[in-house]
Amino acid sequence: MKKLKIAFFGHTSCKGCFFEFLILGEKILDLLKGTDIVHFKMIKEYNEKGPFDITFMDGAISSEKELEKLKEIREQSKFLIALGTCACYGGIPSMANVFKHPEKMVYPEPIDHKSTKVTPIDQHVKVDYYLRGCPINKEELFNVVKDLVNGKIPREKDYCVCVECKLRENRCLFEDGIPCLGPITYAGCNAPCPSVRAPCDGCRGPLPDGNIKEMINLLKKSGVSRGDIKRMFKKYALMDKKFKRVKI
Ligand code: SF4
Ligand code: SF4
Ligand code: SF4
């Protein structure tokens, strides 16, 4: 059987999603039965050029140079996966969009990064699959690659975190007055946060058909201020149209 060529590329991010892949540990050996990791600069000294069968694209786009690279890699990739919330929505790096000169807040000397607005990758190129989460869920990544190796197109979960939370028989945090974004957030993580009594803060991004109006009402009833609701919505998906239109 011909092995699928896999590549990992990164733009603006913390690279935590790469580490999630690496901590798959021995399961990586299982994946390598049907794939070859031909490009992954974090772990390989020699990296091949495209074409690639599966490309994992981590990080948001924050410069012209990154945008050029993204377009080039898209052309070389049969199946392009947005890896993590930075790539899918802009994520934490997109918070820079609300400040005038964010680099000055971080670097003592001016830098020549030629920054642009921080954007998710699908604002520029076609994405074939979204591996959401900050960080991603490594089991989901494993299953997506397995599906592709077996000739199946992986399916994204299009329901909310509450479904997985209920399957784990958790008591809803709202019953104890703790606000949680589970009802409007994409599932796929298996609800790890509410399972340890920590609220979901929406790291997998908003469902297109999530009832934002009702979510705002619920948060207000739990005593969350308008400012905090805005901050909760903007933490990971500031650039998502769904949250941009919202009136709180
Ligand atoms: S999605 Fe989160 S963990 Fe992944 S690279 Fe971005 S900031 Fe890091
Ligand atoms: S705790 Fe959060 S994720 Fe779980 S059911 Fe309640 S709102 Fe949904
Ligand atoms: S429960 Fe919410 S915050 Fe926690 S991993 Fe899942 S989507 Fe992210």
Side-chain angles (χ1 to χ4, degrees), residues 13-17 58 84-86 92 133-135:
S13 78
C14 79
K15 305 291 175 276
C17 289
D58 147 277
T85 290
C86 294
I92 300 283
C134 183

Side-chain angles (χ1 to χ4, degrees), residues 161-162 165-166 172-174 180 182-183 194:
V161 171
C162 295
C165 186
K166 284 291 151 205
C172 181
L173 291 166
F174 275 106
C180 174

